[in-house]
Amino acid sequence: MKKLFFILLFATLLINSTLAQTGTKFWFAAPEVTSQHNDAGPTLRFTNTSKTLPCTVNVSVPAAGLTIAPITIPANSAASIVLDVAPNNIKNIIENNVINSVQNKGIYIESDIPITAYYEVNNSNNNEIFALKGANGLGQEFYIPLTNNPAYVNHIFPAEPRAYATFDIVATENNTKVQILTHVPVEGHIANVPFTIMLNRGQTYSCGDTTGEYWKPVNHPSGAVVLSDKPIAITVKDDSDHTKGVQQDCYDLIGDQIVPVDIVGTDYIVIKGQLNPDRNESFNILATQNNTKVYVNGNATPVATLFAGQTYYQTNITLPRYYIHADRPVYCTQVTGFGCELGSAILPPLNCAGS
């Protein structure tokens, strides 16, 4: 139900949100998703956007030397590759399951005809769809739009792998220098002290905290800054989130592939979803520049003035839609869903014109 809801929501929100994901080359860092929560593994889904030509799609994990047999998709059709069953039983090869370590797990997708691509965690109780952004997902400056809203906490599982909030980086070229600054301690690094990692093509790095009270949003690396000297792509994930700030009954994976700073904008529309009224549906605004003023629904008084890396969130939203304006570029993400089932996505700015 959640998957269908989000497909309909995106189509209703902006046709541009689909156009922006069309391309022939995609990079993706697959996040680890706990197997303690009805684990069923991931699926890659493709749609051939040509009305007349078939396409050939190749999927590989370059740094691991792994190539998945190409698939042919008829014109104006869709196809899927299930990654956790034979002959593509590679879930453990692609999920970034070691934090603060360089791994050979980046996924590269190439098509001879423009397509749209999605990575779906196809669990029965903990699913999510990650819309791959293609060229729009590549950049050299990012802020990490993980929510720090205390309404959402990770479920505490009694054994590993537990449910964490992380961001996962994949390099597209050899000898890529990546600098990271987080405002909270993360595995292997202290807060507010930048550190550097080196990645080759297809290598990945997962950043987050797995110690202490890791399940609390205040300890998630929200607003972290990531700079690189060559193009990279980044995935954010917040695994098995509860919606009331306590260990309640419903909990779900939320996340998305994000875009770099030069793709975000100043104006957004948030359309309310169908979460139950007590489930804290919210939107989150992350500033990329100091002294950013945020306005909601045309009010002359800003609801917040933010420094770069700070987040304003509005929780338990009730209006059918919200118009967000900032005087400097910001990220806007929404946590929504159906009933008590969560999902999340980075929203396209109103000036998005597609690829």
Side-chain angles (χ1 to χ4, degrees), residues 209-225:
D209 180 40
T210 64
T211 62
E213 295 180 322
Y214 63 86
W215 62 89
K216 292 184 177 181
V218 69
N219 296 321
H220 296 170
S222 172
V225 187

Side-chain angles (χ1 to χ4, degrees), residues 58-291:
N58 293 278
V59 180
S60 62
V61 186
L66 175 65
T67 299
I68 299 176
I71 61 171
T72 299
I73 307 174
N76 201 30
S77 299
S80 300
I81 298 178
V82 181
L83 300 177
D84 63 329
V85 298
N88 303 315
N89 191 14
I90 61 170
K91 178 178 184 292
N92 293 330
I93 296 176
I94 60 173
E95 282 196 354
N96 286 272
N97 55 1
V98 181
I99 294 179
N100 189 36
S101 177
V102 174
Q103 301 178 85
N104 298 323
K105 297 195 172 188
I107 299 172
Y108 178 56
I109 300 163
E110 187 171 17
S111 173
D112 57 355
I113 294 293
I115 60 172
T116 58
Y118 295 85
Y119 180 88
E120 179 180 353
V121 178
N122 200 24
N123 297 355
S124 58
N125 286 354
N126 195 35
N127 57 359
E128 180 62 297
I129 296 175
F130 296 78
L132 277 60
K133 306 302 191 296
N136 283 344
L138 302 181
Q140 296 175 245
E141 180 183 2
F142 296 79
Y143 282 79
I144 302 302
L146 282 165
T147 181
N148 55 6
N149 186 342
Y152 312 112
V153 296
N154 304 109
H155 186 74
I156 301 174
F157 291 98
E160 295 288 351
R162 293 185 170 92
Y164 304 113
T166 63
F167 62 91
D168 300 286
I169 302 167
V170 59
T172 66
E173 299 180 24
N174 288 336
N175 301 313
T176 297
K177 181 180 180 180
V178 182
Q179 294 180 301
I180 300 172
L181 173 65
T182 63
H183 305 297
V184 296
V186 292
E187 196 96 345
H189 303 280
I190 62 177
N192 297 313
V193 176
F195 60 95
T196 300
I197 57 172
M198 296 297 299
L199 299 175
N200 285 326
R201 183 177 185 267
Q203 288 189 319
T204 55
Y205 180 84
S206 185
C207 185
D209 180 40
T210 64
T211 62
E213 295 180 322
Y214 63 86
W215 62 89
K216 292 184 177 181
V218 69
N219 296 321
H220 296 170
S222 172
V225 187
V226 182
L227 305 174
S228 64
D229 60 354
K230 296 172 185 177
I232 58 175
I234 300 180
T235 309
V236 296
K237 77 101 195 288
D238 208 347
D239 195 0
S240 299
D241 262 7
H242 290 277
T243 60
K244 292 184 176 181
V246 292
Q247 304 292 318
Q248 297 273 346
D249 51 348
C250 292
Y251 48 100
D252 282 288
L253 170 69
I254 61 174
D256 204 356
Q257 185 176 57
I258 66 172
V259 295
V261 168
D262 58 3
I263 297 294
V264 301
T266 58
D267 295 88
Y268 295 85
I269 296 294
V270 177
I271 297 177
K272 187 181 181 305
Q274 299 182 47
L275 275 180
N276 291 338
D278 64 342
R279 292 295 169 169
N280 295 302
E281 181 163 349
S282 68
F283 62 81
N284 308 273
I285 308 300
L286 170 62
T288 65
Q289 298 179 22
N290 290 338
N291 199 34

Side-chain angles (χ1 to χ4, degrees), residues 9 12-13 269-273 281 320-322 334 336 347:
L9 174 61
T12 303
L13 178 62
I269 296 294
V270 177
I271 297 177
K272 187 181 181 305
E281 181 163 349
R321 65 196 63 83
Y322 293 80
Q334 182 180 7
T336 181
L347 301 184

Side-chain angles (χ1 to χ4, degrees), residues 43-54:
T43 299
L44 283 168
R45 304 192 185 279
F46 311 106
T47 300
N48 182 356
T49 60
S50 172
K51 296 181 180 180
T52 58
L53 299 174

